[in-house]
């Protein structure tokens, strides 16, 4: 069984992760996301050619394309919500694994291949279920 952190019972599940995803600057957002998912998974989700590109985004020496910023914010929101209960390795496994709520698709693949607005509700619902449903 996966190790949990014991932050269940917050007043509004995922609200802190949502607010944080909106208020972080781009470099801080990417740095936080890289810490939760690893550079390789962030590069995959954002269709970056290499992890070195993600490093440049994280250190502020380059910006991701505008089309990727919403995708990165949504990824951070979900990763931070999962991290309220689970460690980064479990968060990474959730992003890579096939989720039955998502039609047995991997969340990372859905994020990469779709506009965030089209998959946001389904991804947040799947992550919320994983974190807060017993």
């Amino acid at each position: 069984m996966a190790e949990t952190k014991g932050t269940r019972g917050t007043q509004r599940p995922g609200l802190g992760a949502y607010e944080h995803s909106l208020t972080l600057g781009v470099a801080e957002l990417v740095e936080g996301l890289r810490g939760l998912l690893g550079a390789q998974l962030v590069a995959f989700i954002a269709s970056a050619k290499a992890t070195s590109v993600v490093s440049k985004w994280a250190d502020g020496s380059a910006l991701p394309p505008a089309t990727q910023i919403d995708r990165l914010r949504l990824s951070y929101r979900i990763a931070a919500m999962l991290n309220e209960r689970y460690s980064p390795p479990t968060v990474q496994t959730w992003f890579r694994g096939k989720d039955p709520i998502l039609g047995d698709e991997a969340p990372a693949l859905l994020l990469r291949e779709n506009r965030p607005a089209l998959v946001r509700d389904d991804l947040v619902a799947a992550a919320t279920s994983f974190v807060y449903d017993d």
Side-chain angles (χ1 to χ4, degrees):
M1 182 165 186
E3 181 179 327
T4 62
K5 292 184 169 189
T7 58
R8 297 167 73 69
T10 57
Q11 186 177 5
R12 302 263 329 250
L15 182 60
Y18 170 70
E19 290 173 347
H20 208 214
S21 74
L22 295 177
T23 58
L24 287 174
V26 174
E28 295 84 8
L29 176 81
V30 175
E31 178 62 28
L33 194 54
R34 186 173 65 170
L36 292 169
L37 299 182
Q40 187 175 17
L41 190 51
V42 174
F44 174 79
I45 290 168
S47 298
K49 294 182 181 187
T51 57
S52 60
V53 174
V54 174
S55 293
K56 289 179 182 179
W57 297 344
D59 70 21
S61 62
L63 284 174
T67 56
Q68 298 300 336
I69 293 174
D70 282 346
R71 182 170 284 109
L72 293 166
R73 288 199 185 281
L74 177 57
S75 298
Y76 182 88
R77 174 186 178 184
I78 293 166
M81 180 182 7
L82 292 167
N83 190 235
E84 289 174 1
R85 184 166 184 201
Y86 297 104
S87 64
T90 301
V91 174
Q92 293 165 21
T93 299
W94 184 86
F95 269 82
R96 287 187 171 111
K98 294 180 179 183
D99 191 299
I101 293 174
L102 300 172
D104 287 327
E105 294 288 338
L109 186 61
L110 289 174
L111 281 160
R112 178 186 171 109
E113 293 184 348
N114 295 281
R115 288 192 351 231
L118 295 177
V119 293
R120 177 178 290 118
D121 292 345
D122 289 341
L123 288 166
V124 170
T128 301
S129 176
F130 186 76
V131 173
Y132 297 102
D133 289 354
D134 285 327

